[in-house]
Amino acid sequence: MARSVAAMVAIASSRLLLAEAFVLSPSARLSSSLPSFAQASSSFLPSHLSAVRPQLLGKSRSRCSGSIGKGLRMTLAAPAKIDGPRWKNDEEYASLDDNKMKEDIEVVEKMVEDIASLSKKLDLKNLQGIDPSVLVQLSKKATDASVILMNVATFASCESSVDGTNANARAMSAKVRAISAKLGQAAQPLSIALKLIPEEKVEQYLKELPHEEFSVKHQRKLRDFTLSLEEENLITALGVDGHSSWSQMYNTISSTLTCKVGDKSMGVAQAAALLSSPDRSERLEAWNAIQAAWTTHEEAAAATLNSIIGWRLELNRKRAAKAGRPVHFLDTALHQVGRAWCHESAEIAVAEAQPLAQKALKLQAKVLGMEALHPADLFAPPPDSSGSSSLALQYDEGIGESLSLHTRLCLSQTLGRMD
């Protein structure tokens, strides 16, 4: 048993370090992960809320995805039946046709109208005359509307995660994206004002809403790159059917794509779950099947990346022209995740972490008895030397063990060693 625990620590270490160094191949990320719709939807929310989006999602998910079926297990070594998520969301909404959901959407739509009306009190051509109390009112209304809308978005996302072909869930997701864009446009004067108003007015605003200090000050770093209200609203409006629609197309393809593993036909999500199988031949079959399935859609995947990258490059050129200085391709992404790094710092951090991540991968290969890891082996469970049939953990136990393991790993890295 001691050897199994050591193996578990070694493999978990390699996965954490692998994630930190961003060395997973693009094909591995593309085939084994599904982007969260709720996160994609939040891209249309008012920009001053960007740094608190995780908090908004946390509020909605605390009820929506907090109750996971007791049958969901973490299995370390022994073969086990793959048991997908079973969401218990009836306390939030009974279904996508629930009248409560329709009422919530109507409430948000009315709030968007109120926000748009209140925003007219902000004269962006007279920043000195803007009343901070109006900004506070707008922020509270925008936050309340965002939380309700993200509840709906998260519920639809949960439904799609169980059945990717659920047309009602996709339709609701599209509706939420459209409303999110309208909310973003209605609150755009607030976002621009918070970036551009004098510092003393910002302090008055934060005195009423101190929890927004980080997000507001983080967004004010972009004041030189801020375009006119009309231009910012146009960007938000075009985003619904523009670059963001590509990620939704990816969701649609990935949730309906099938591949053949051995003599069985299955979805890519189920095949991706087999990458954690203790049977290496099964892992290799699953990996190859996933790659073959995505090859059919490689043109669509390439078009998706080209469109998203093209959108960002053109937008960066517009903002760079406004600021009078260049915008690096990675600057937007780093800012969105709340980092103060420039792209050079990010590249240096990745380069510094890479040797340690590679060391962890070599350790994982050694534990698994291999000279080198294949991409299909990255999520392989540790070998069970004890001969027991299962090391299954209940979900809550697994979360506790993961947190404890992460704490030990952080301490070992701080002390400069990895046992």
Side-chain angles (χ1 to χ4, degrees), residues 182-410:
K182 292 179 180 178
L183 173 58
Q185 293 173 74
Q188 197 76 259
L190 165 66
S191 299
I192 294 178
L194 287 174
K195 292 177 186 176
L196 304 181
I197 57 176
E199 194 65 34
E200 61 269 18
K201 290 186 177 292
V202 174
E203 294 303 321
Q204 293 178 48
Y205 173 86
L206 293 178
K207 187 176 181 180
E208 298 297 324
L209 300 174
H211 59 281
E212 288 190 16
E213 180 176 1
F214 172 80
S215 60
V216 170
K217 291 185 176 180
H218 190 61
Q219 286 301 315
R220 283 177 67 82
K221 297 174 184 177
L222 301 178
R223 59 185 304 162
D224 293 342
F225 301 97
T226 302
L227 303 177
S228 68
L229 175 61
E230 292 74 19
E231 290 172 313
E232 294 288 358
N233 274 340
L234 182 61
I235 292 169
T236 301
L238 293 178
V240 178
D241 297 314
H243 75 291
S244 65
S245 63
W246 286 102
S247 66
Q248 302 312 312
M249 185 188 73
Y250 166 73
N251 268 343
T252 300
I253 292 176
S254 61
S255 61
T256 57
L257 193 62
T258 59
C259 54
K260 193 170 184 179
V261 181
D263 58 351
K264 297 179 180 179
S265 180
M266 62 184 69
V268 291
Q270 185 177 355
L274 295 177
L275 296 176
S276 298
S277 169
D279 185 345
R280 189 167 193 260
S281 62
E282 188 173 47
R283 295 199 302 270
L284 290 170
E285 283 186 349
W287 172 265
N288 292 328
I290 292 171
Q291 307 313 305
W294 272 109
T295 298
T296 307
H297 297 278
E298 60 186 358
E299 292 294 335
T304 297
L305 292 174
N306 285 333
S307 177
I308 294 174
I309 291 172
W311 174 283
R312 176 172 292 181
L313 288 173
E314 184 58 32
L315 188 55
N316 284 350
R317 279 193 284 267
K318 296 291 185 184
R319 297 195 183 281
K322 171 65 169 59
R325 62 179 187 271
V327 180
H328 189 275
F329 179 76
L330 294 178
D331 287 347
T332 301
L334 290 172
H335 181 85
Q336 287 175 342
V337 297
R339 296 291 187 183
W341 298 341
C342 60
H343 64 275
E344 291 92 347
S345 299
E347 291 169 358
I348 292 172
V350 171
E352 290 177 346
Q354 189 172 356
L356 185 59
Q358 292 174 338
K359 178 181 178 180
L361 290 174
K362 291 179 181 178
L363 178 60
Q364 181 179 352
K366 182 178 180 180
V367 170
L368 293 173
M370 303 175 186
E371 292 186 5
L373 292 177
H374 184 276
D377 299 318
L378 290 175
F379 299 100
D384 180 17
S385 61
S386 65
S388 61
S389 59
S390 175
L391 292 175
L393 297 175
Q394 291 298 317
Y395 180 80
D396 291 339
E397 294 177 303
I399 291 296
E401 289 292 331
S402 297
L403 291 175
S404 175
L405 174 60
H406 184 265
T407 300
R408 294 200 300 273
L409 287 172
C410 290

